[in-house]
């Protein structure tokens, strides 16, 4: 294996990040997200370019792929069936995410992380399971906006010549960008990518690994009940509002009960992905020390729940199994019959003391170091009702933390500074947010704010009262 000291600086930094992410050195365990939008301009242009290139390389042991900006493999072309089978074994296949965070140092993951053309040879990969390959990847930017759209990735055996691999990938990426520019008129923006529906998770520094502990009595009681049930071999259903931390309490309890367990976490697939999704369970359930957390089972069709129940029951031995749902009565009967213990997870609004510890945790995850909150920001976070629960809190704080080392109210969405009231129209919400934006500017006077907003001071005071805007400081 390549000595760490011999790695180039970029690869060494990537290895260090891979270690911090908790990526396995032995095996790649990427996320399966299923299908994607095939109407995007990037995908259509990239597929056309790679299809043309594949015609000239059909006899070569090379796999050509497109990925999106998150490392999700969108398609794959190769005339070498033995290479395709080998890539299937490490999940370098359509529907799987291969970002640096998921798979450690690899060509496409590093190209996306650094946004530069990248070649990763053999033992330069972080995971030993990838050391038989050489990967060349080049990021593709939208030629109009400069936004990262994805990458072109070429993969071959590590024993094959790689001298021209990066040049071919660079040519394909350039041709894709040129074709996108030529066809860009009138095209709609890129759709929001779908979330993950399948993940094999090892003990990483995530909420599920138990790295966040000093939380409310409500949370610790739910965690304690879950740990007791799992230790006794019971099947647990964590119920509560979406985003409240149902899967986290299960994963954290699993970590503390059986520290060496692998956790297979899954969410309901789209209808077109059901068969592929079900096919993923059989090889994973047969592996030792694997626990299962099935999220949002209340969204599963009854027939899919029945198929999954049969897979679990015939896995060749007891499988640590738990699930989440909004209400127990909505769990399909086939899975509800397996449940021994029901754990209620309270919404975040009922555990206000958890808000700031969770916010600090989310900020540290986003920045890689501690981030400060001003007293005004702390009050705004603590006083908000969080209808989207912990998931919404993490999203808001991570967005703010990526822009500053000290989060103030001006870095938070407008609704966090408004008191409860009637549902605002789009015009009212815009007006409220503009007032908040101006008033949050350090040292601004009410007279100056009135001039900038084109309002009288009396009108601003009336609007502050109308929208319930806090004017701390």
């Amino acid at each position: 294996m390549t000595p760490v000291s011999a790695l180039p600086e970029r690869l060494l930094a990537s290895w260090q990040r891979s270690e911090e992410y908790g990526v396995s050195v032995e095996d790649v365990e990427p996320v399966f997200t299923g299908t994607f939008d095939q109407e995007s301009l990037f995908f259509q242009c990239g597929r056309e370019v790679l299809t043309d290139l594949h015609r000239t390389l059909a006899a070569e042991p090379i796999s050509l792929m497109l990925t999106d900006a998150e490392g999700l493999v969108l398609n794959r072309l190769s005339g070498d069936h033995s290479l395709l089978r080998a890539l299937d074994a490490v999940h370098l296949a359509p529907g799987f995410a291969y970002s640096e965070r998921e798979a450690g140092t690899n060509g496409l993951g590093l190209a996306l992380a650094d946004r530069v053309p990248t070649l990763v040879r053999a033992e330069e990969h972080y995971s030993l399971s990838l050391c038989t390959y050489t990967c060349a990847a080049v990021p593709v930017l939208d030629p109009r906006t400069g936004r990262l759209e994805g990458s072109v990735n070429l993969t071959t055996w590590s024993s094959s010549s790689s001298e021209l691999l990066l040049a071919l990938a660079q040519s394909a990426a350039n041709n894709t960008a040129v074709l996108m520019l030529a066809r860009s008129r009138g095209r709609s923006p890129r759709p929001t990518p779908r979330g993950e529906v399948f993940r094999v998770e090892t003990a990483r520094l995530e909420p599920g690994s138990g790295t966040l502990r000093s939380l409310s009595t409500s949370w610790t009681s739910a965690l304690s009940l879950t740990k007791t049930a799992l230790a006794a071999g019971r099947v647990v259903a964590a119920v509560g509002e979406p985003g409240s931390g149902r899967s986290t309490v299960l994963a954290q309890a699993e970590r503390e009960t059986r520290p060496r367990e692998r956790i297979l976490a899954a969410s309901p697939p789209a209808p077109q992905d059901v068969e592929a999704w079900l096919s993923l369970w059989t090889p994973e359930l047969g592996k030792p020390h694997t626990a299962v957390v099935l999220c949002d089972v209340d969204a599963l069709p009854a027939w899919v729940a029945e198929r999954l129940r049969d897979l679990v029951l015939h896995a060749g031995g007891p499988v640590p199994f738990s699930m989440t749902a909004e209400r127990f009565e909505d769990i399909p009967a086939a899975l509800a019959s397996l449940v021994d213990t029901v754990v209620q997870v309270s919404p975040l609004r009922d555990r206000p003391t958890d808000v700031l510890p969770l916010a600090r945790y989310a900020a540290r995850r986003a920045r890689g170091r501690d981030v400060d909150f001003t007293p005004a920001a702390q009050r705004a976070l603590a006083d908000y009702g969080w209808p989207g629960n912990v998931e919404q809190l993490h999203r808001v704080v991570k967005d703010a933390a990526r822009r500053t080392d000290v989060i103030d109210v001006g870095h938070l969405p407008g609704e966090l500074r408004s008191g409860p009231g009637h549902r605002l129209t789009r015009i009212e919400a815009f007006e409220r947010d503009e007032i908040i934006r101006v008033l949050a500017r350090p040292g601004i006077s009410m007279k100056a704010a009135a001039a900038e907003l084109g309002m009288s001071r009396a009108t601003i005071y009336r609007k502050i009262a109308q929208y319930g805007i806090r004017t701390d400081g």
Side-chain angles (χ1 to χ4, degrees):
M1 187 170 183
T2 302
V4 173
S5 59
L7 290 173
E9 184 176 346
R10 277 187 64 225
L11 285 168
L12 179 58
S14 178
W15 274 44
Q16 290 170 338
R17 291 193 298 268
S18 301
E19 183 177 11
E20 292 168 0
Y21 294 147
V23 176
S24 170
V25 177
E26 299 295 331
D27 298 306
V28 175
E29 297 172 335
V31 170
F32 175 75
T33 64
T35 57
F36 52 91
D37 177 68
Q38 298 191 15
E39 301 302 318
S40 73
L41 182 61
F42 165 67
F43 176 75
Q44 291 193 347
C45 294
R47 179 178 58 183
E48 183 173 331
V49 168
L50 290 192
T51 299
D52 288 342
L53 180 59
H54 173 59
R55 291 192 183 101
T56 67
L57 299 173
E60 299 296 327
I62 297 176
S63 176
L64 296 79
M65 306 173 210
L66 282 179
T67 81
D68 71 5
E70 303 300 321
L72 172 67
V73 180
L74 304 179
N75 70 342
R76 188 179 68 181
L77 299 169
S78 179
D80 189 319
H81 296 292
S82 63
L83 177 60
L84 289 175
R85 287 193 297 270
L87 294 177
D88 284 340
V90 293
H91 306 304
L92 186 49
F96 283 91
Y98 240 79
S99 68
E100 189 181 68
R101 182 179 291 273
E102 302 298 337
T105 304
N106 68 92
L108 72 90
L110 186 52
L112 293 171
D114 289 350
R115 299 197 177 195
V116 295
T118 300
L119 181 69
V120 176
R121 298 180 176 87
E123 293 182 348
E124 292 176 341
H125 288 89
Y126 182 78
S127 175
L128 293 174
S129 61
L130 299 180
C131 289
T132 54
Y133 309 102
T134 290
C135 303
V138 178
V140 178
L141 305 182
D142 187 309
R144 298 167 300 164
T145 66
R147 181 178 59 191
L148 178 65
E149 291 290 330
S151 74
V152 170
N153 176 54
L154 273 58
T155 297
T156 187
W157 301 109
S158 59
S159 57
S160 300
S161 173
S162 60
E163 298 306 317
L164 294 178
L165 205 62
L166 189 58
L168 284 172
Q170 182 76 68
S171 174
N174 290 342
N175 290 341
T176 298
V178 169
L179 194 57
M180 288 174 65
L181 183 61
R183 298 181 178 176
S184 60
R185 295 190 176 185
R187 296 302 296 262
S188 58
R190 178 179 60 185
T192 302
R194 293 175 49 200
E196 68 192 39
V197 295
F198 186 92
R199 172 191 287 275
V200 178
E201 184 181 287
T202 52
R204 305 181 181 188
L205 297 179
E206 304 276 359
S209 11
T211 54
L212 190 60
R213 299 180 180 276
S214 301
L215 296 179
S216 63
T217 301
S218 173
W219 175 265
T220 54
S221 296
L223 179 60
S224 177
L225 177 59
T226 306
K227 287 164 59 178
T228 300
L230 292 177
R234 301 181 191 134
V235 174
V236 179
V239 300
E241 294 181 9
S244 58
R246 301 168 302 179
S247 58
T248 299
V249 78
L250 294 173
Q252 186 168 329
E254 194 67 61
R255 286 274 175 258
E256 296 185 19
T257 304
R258 287 179 281 261
R260 295 183 179 178
E261 296 289 355
R262 300 165 68 250
I263 296 179
L264 188 157
S267 299
Q272 64 269 30
D273 294 331
V274 168
E275 291 298 334
W277 183 77
L278 286 169
S279 70
L280 292 166
W281 289 82
T282 301
E284 293 297 338
L285 291 176
K287 295 178 180 178
H289 310 299
T290 296
V292 173
V293 176
L294 181 57
C295 305
D296 302 320
V297 294
D298 44 347
L300 283 176
W303 71 272
V304 178
E306 291 169 2
R307 292 267 301 275
L308 183 56
R309 174 203 59 196
D310 293 342
L311 288 173
V312 172
L313 292 178
H314 297 91
V319 176
F321 187 80
S322 54
M323 64 190 80
T324 75
E326 192 163 355
R327 304 187 309 162
F328 176 77
E329 50 265 38
D330 294 334
I331 298 176
L335 295 175
S337 64
L338 302 177
V339 175
D340 302 306
T341 301
V342 178
V343 175
Q344 182 72 45
V345 179
S346 301
L348 186 57
R349 63 180 172 274
D350 292 341
R351 344 180 230 125
T353 57
D354 288 349
V355 171
L356 291 180
L358 288 168
R360 292 189 178 96
Y361 180 86
R364 187 167 61 250
R365 289 283 296 163
R367 293 285 287 189
R369 58 179 182 272
D370 288 337
V371 173
D372 291 331
F373 293 80
T374 66
Q378 293 182 43
R379 286 192 294 273
L381 291 169
D383 292 346
Y384 187 59
W386 298 111
N389 288 296
V390 180
E391 188 174 287
Q392 181 189 12
L393 172 66
H394 278 207
R395 185 170 61 250
V396 165
V397 171
K398 286 181 178 179
D399 178 66
R402 291 189 180 105
R403 293 180 281 131
T404 181
D405 288 327
V406 180
I407 296 177
D408 195 8
V409 286
H411 301 111
L412 302 175
E415 61 266 23
L416 267 69
R417 295 192 62 192
S418 299
H422 72 281
R423 185 178 180 86
L424 301 182
T425 66
R426 293 183 65 183
I427 293 177
E428 289 174 328
F430 176 79
E431 182 179 58
R432 176 204 61 194
D433 291 349
E434 279 298 288
I435 294 172
I436 289 172
R437 181 186 64 80
V438 173
L439 292 178
R441 190 171 301 147
I444 193 167
S445 66
M446 196 62 74
K447 181 179 179 180
E452 181 171 342
L453 291 166
M455 300 177 179
S456 68
R457 281 182 286 178
T459 299
I460 290 184
Y461 283 120
R462 179 171 58 81
K463 294 291 185 181
I464 288 173
Q466 174 186 342
Y467 296 134
I469 297 172
R470 301 179 183 87
T471 56
D472 301 297

